[in-house]
Amino acid sequence: RAGEVVVEAHGLTAGYAGTPAVHEVDLEVRAGEVVALLGANGAGKTTTLLALAGEVTPIAGSVAFHGDARRRRLHQRARQGLGFLTEERCVFMGLTGWQNLRLGRGRPEDALAHFPELEEHLHKKVGLLSGGQQQMLALGRVLAARPRVLLADELSLGLAPMVVERLLAAVRSAADDGLAVVLVEQHVRQALAVADRVHVLRRGRVVLSGAAADLRADAAGIAAHYLTG
Ligand code: ATP
């Protein structure tokens, strides 16, 4: 089912002020695939995403986007089809949902196609919406831009399990339509439920990789072993 490689990292070592936070990460994401990056706080998940996005420069190794390994910053990657959902939802709390969607790169109707349940709330200021509704708005806005790659950093942070499932189901369905997804998550069971492949990071290194289907039965073991710091 998976298509061409859209984003890839090889031997990626990256960090801050010359000090590596991730070491020798190899990663390939194909069109139609969800690849989950799991790991405890500080394991290096966000740094890996930032390196893929072009916002953290590799100390060694390479990052390529559609085979283009030249250095590109986030705004240039965005024009090449990168969608980035940061941990801070990136919605404007003082504006209405409609205004937020109109500020995006896509059409509000397309965001609503992913989350029809938002429509009745879009006239409200976003600060009055629930955390889950805010995150649906943020994700819907990114997906409406029709990216070819989505980098999503802990989109489920602090949200109720049902909302998390709803958000991840939308991500899965966008992948089924051809999107390549890198999903940073701390919810191991739910990430394994929607991912195709998984890499577990610990202290900046990939310590476990595999097909999500093979790891599902051991979600609790993985969480206990790798996500406790
Ligand atoms: P979290 O879930 O807390 O975001 P993470 O797995 O995403 O964790 P990173 O944020 O990538 O982990 O952090 C990896 C390491 O890099 C940590 O030791 C962290 O302290 C360090 N680090 C992260 N951001 C910076 C920064 N801007 N400057 C210096 N060090 C940083």
Side-chain angles (χ1 to χ4, degrees):
R1 185 177 57 182
E4 67 185 90
V5 174
V6 182
V7 57
E8 59 196 305
H10 297 288
L12 172 67
T13 296
Y16 306 92
T19 305
V22 296
H23 305 264
E24 294 166 28
V25 171
D26 290 306
L27 188 80
E28 274 189 8
V29 192
R30 292 172 180 273
E33 236 187 356
V34 177
V35 173
L37 289 185
L38 306 177
N41 285 326
K45 306 178 299 294
T46 300
T47 304
T48 304
L49 276 197
L50 288 171
L52 294 177
E55 289 302 296
V56 163
T57 311
I59 295 168
S62 65
V63 168
F65 202 77
H66 300 298
D68 174 11
R70 286 174 299 170
R71 175 104 210 275
R72 287 278 179 269
R73 299 295 300 262
L74 183 54
H75 65 280
Q76 297 166 313
R77 293 276 196 233
R79 283 198 293 268
Q80 292 179 309
L82 178 77
F84 195 9
L85 195 66
T86 65
E87 246 175 289
E88 306 83 11
R89 292 178 187 134
C90 288
V91 283
F92 300 99
M93 297 293 176
L95 301 181
T96 68
W98 282 116
Q99 288 170 326
N100 269 270
L101 290 182
R102 281 192 226 105
L103 284 170
R105 298 169 71 95
R107 302 184 321 145
E109 297 76 12
D110 289 343
L112 284 174
H114 291 281
F115 297 107
E117 64 265 55
L118 279 182
E119 182 156 18
E120 60 183 298
H121 302 291
L122 288 183
H123 61 281
K124 296 179 203 164
K125 285 199 173 153
V126 169
L128 299 174
L129 301 182
S130 69
Q133 290 165 338
Q134 289 172 8
Q135 190 62 292
M136 285 183 213
L137 188 71
L139 177 58
R141 189 177 60 181
V142 170
L143 292 177
R146 299 174 184 267
R148 296 183 65 187
V149 183
L150 171 68
L151 307 179
D153 199 356
E154 296 195 32
L155 59 79
S156 64
L157 198 68
L159 301 177
M162 269 178 60
V163 179
V164 175
E165 264 166 41
R166 178 74 188 89
L167 288 160
L168 294 182
V171 168
R172 179 70 256 175
S173 120
D176 290 340
D177 288 337
L179 183 67
V181 181
V182 182
L183 190 68
V184 162
E185 264 302 328
Q186 295 218 27
H187 290 83
V188 176
R189 191 183 55 76
Q190 285 162 312
L192 286 173
V194 299
D196 296 292
R197 289 184 298 111
V198 177
H199 301 290
V200 181
L201 284 164
R202 187 180 211 179
R203 298 197 195 103
R205 292 181 191 274
V206 174
V207 290
L208 177 70
S209 294
D214 296 337
L215 299 173
R216 268 172 211 143
D218 193 29
I222 291 170
H225 193 77
Y226 296 109
L227 272 79
T228 47

